[in-house]
Amino acid sequence: MSTPIEANVSPSVASARSAKSAKTVKSSKKTYLLFFSSWFFLIASGVLGTMLYTEHLKTQLGSQLASQTEAQLQTMQTQYQQQLDQLKASVTTDITTLQAKVDSFNELLAFTKDSANSKTDNSNQLYTQLAEVKKKLDELKQNLDVLK
C-alpha cells in the first residue's frame, strides 16, 4: 500500500482534475485582476478626492483672505481719513491763530511807526518779527494746500 494515490486513479479522473485546476488558475487570475483593479480604483479615487478637497480648501481660504484684507483696508482708509481731517482742522486753527497774530503785529507796527521818533529803533524789531510770522503763515498755507 505504498503506491501513490494517483496510480490508482483512472486517467479520466486525472484529466478532470487537470481541467479543474486549469479553471481554478483562470479564476484565481480573474480574482487577482479584480482585486488589484479594485485597489487601483480605490487609490485613484482617494487621490482624486484629495485633489478636489485641496482645491476646495484653496478657494475657500482665498475668499476668506480676500474678505479679511478688504475689511482691513476699509478700516485703514477710515482711520487715515479721520487723521487727515484732524490734521486739516489743526492746520486751519494754526493758520487762524497766526493770522490773528499777524494782524495784531500789523496794528502794533503801525502804532510804533506812527509814534517812533529818531531815537528808538523798535520798528526794525517788529518788522523782523512780522517777516518771521509771515514766513510761518506761508508755510502753513502751503501745507494746507498739499493736504487738499
Side-chain angles (χ1 to χ4, degrees):
M1 297 238 160
S2 61
T3 61
I5 298 178
E6 300 260 340
N8 291 337
V9 178
S10 67
S12 65
V13 173
S15 67
R17 281 189 181 167
S18 66
K20 192 176 189 183
S21 67
K23 284 183 180 179
T24 58
V25 169
K26 284 185 178 180
S27 69
S28 70
K29 284 184 180 179
K30 287 182 180 179
T31 304
Y32 284 126
L33 182 63
L34 181 63
F35 179 73
F36 284 122
S37 63
S38 298
W39 271 106
F40 178 75
F41 175 72
L42 285 174
I43 290 171
S45 63
V47 169
L48 180 65
T50 302
M51 288 171 51
L52 290 174
Y53 185 66
T54 303
E55 189 64 32
H56 170 71
L57 286 179
K58 282 181 186 178
T59 305
Q60 190 176 21
L61 184 62
S63 65
Q64 286 176 351
L65 283 175
S67 65
Q68 287 176 354
T69 303
E70 183 65 31
Q72 288 176 347
L73 283 174
Q74 198 70 354
T75 303
M76 287 175 56
Q77 185 177 10
T78 56
Q79 289 175 350
Y80 174 75
Q81 191 64 36
Q82 288 173 352
Q83 288 175 352
L84 191 61
D85 291 341
Q86 288 173 354
L87 186 61
K88 282 181 182 179
S90 172
V91 168
T92 304
T93 305
D94 289 344
I95 287 176
T96 305
T97 305
L98 279 175
Q99 187 64 42
K101 286 182 180 179
V102 166
D103 291 340
S104 68
F105 278 136
N106 279 335
E107 290 173 8
L108 184 61
L109 183 61
F111 174 75
T112 306
K113 191 175 183 183
D114 290 340
S115 65
N117 58 25
S118 61
K119 296 179 183 175
T120 60
D121 197 17
N122 292 333
S123 62
N124 288 338
Q125 292 175 355
L126 289 175
Y127 278 120
T128 53
Q129 288 178 356
L130 184 61
E132 289 174 5
V133 170
K134 282 187 179 184
K135 279 184 191 178
K136 187 69 173 176
L137 183 62
D138 290 338
E139 287 177 17
L140 285 173
K141 282 183 182 178
Q142 287 175 354
N143 288 339
L144 184 61
D145 289 340
V146 168
L147 288 175
K148 288 182 182 180

